[in-house]
Amino acid sequence: MGQRRTEVLQAAIDLLDEVGMDGLTMRLLAARIGVRASALYRHYPSKQAMLDAMVAHLALPLADAQAPAGAPWDEQLRHTASSLREVMLAHRDGARLMSTFHTPGPEAASNFHDLITVLRSAGTAPDTAVVAVDTVLAYVNGHTIEEQARMTESHTWPRHRRDRAFDNGLELILTGIRATLD
């Protein structure tokens, strides 16, 4: 990725943290970096392409944050779910941003398929493994969207309670997956 494109991407992420998804516009981003909005389209052909690039960039650390090789399937899914949630919580409207992507990058696709392989190795049928991984990821996104929507200055749910609620919901899903193992 070219240096200028990287600068535009970082400025978009910074702007997301400041104004959220609803305030993130190409026009505002262009003003932030001192160019006309049309100049941004040299780097990203559309706002959706920029959002996809933001998701891919924010998800990069997930590839490095995998559970230890050979860890049990449930530990790997739990680790992936928790790591993804942390990435989302690190940015204002991070979960909403993650839910906007249209074209997953190669890293995201690889992680998805790796988790399917882990479940298949544990004895889950191929179709069930796909549904299971998709369900875990959808749970993480949905829970975190709700969590971020409820985080206001007047109403702050303590982090330890939010973590416990997340872990309990994830455990329910893992229990369901466990029932599908041969």
Side-chain angles (χ1 to χ4, degrees):
M1 188 181 303
Q3 181 178 351
R4 185 63 176 157
R5 187 173 186 197
T6 302
E7 290 170 9
V8 170
L9 183 61
Q10 188 57 54
I13 292 168
D14 293 344
L15 190 58
L16 172 72
D17 288 338
E18 290 175 34
V19 301
M21 282 294 292
D22 294 334
L24 180 62
T25 65
M26 296 298 265
R27 183 169 288 159
L28 185 58
L29 176 59
R32 170 66 55 94
I33 60 177
V35 299
R36 291 196 289 186
S38 60
L40 295 176
Y41 294 101
R42 273 186 280 183
H43 304 290
Y44 300 100
S46 65
K47 182 176 180 182
Q48 186 58 55
M50 184 185 69
L51 293 173
D52 285 349
M54 291 169 68
V55 169
H57 180 75
L58 294 180
L60 275 177
L62 293 175
D64 298 332
Q66 292 182 347
W73 68 268
D74 54 343
E75 184 179 323
Q76 291 189 47
L77 280 174
R78 195 177 290 111
H79 185 80
T80 297
S82 296
S83 297
L84 179 58
R85 177 175 169 250
E86 289 304 320
V87 166
M88 291 178 191
L89 288 174
H91 299 278
R92 181 176 174 180
D93 292 337
R96 282 183 61 203
L97 171 67
M98 290 289 186
S99 70
T100 67
F101 82 92
H102 285 180
T103 308
E107 295 86 5
S110 177
N111 289 344
F112 186 83
H113 292 293
D114 289 348
L115 291 172
I116 291 168
T117 300
V118 165
L119 282 175
R120 294 271 301 116
S121 296
T124 302
D127 292 346
T128 303
V130 172
V131 170
V133 172
D134 193 48
T135 300
V136 168
L137 297 177
Y139 168 72
V140 174
N141 196 298
H143 184 281
T144 311
I145 284 174
E146 289 293 323
E147 186 176 2
Q148 288 184 314
R150 294 177 183 169
M151 293 170 61
T152 64
E153 290 180 27
S154 63
H155 177 23
T156 304
W157 202 19
R159 176 66 193 249
H160 70 280
R161 287 185 61 205
R162 295 187 341 246
D163 290 347
R164 189 170 348 125
F166 176 80
D167 292 341
N168 289 343
L170 181 59
E171 197 55 42
L172 286 172
I173 295 169
L174 295 178
T175 298
I177 295 169
R178 201 170 282 114
T180 70
L181 301 178
D182 289 338

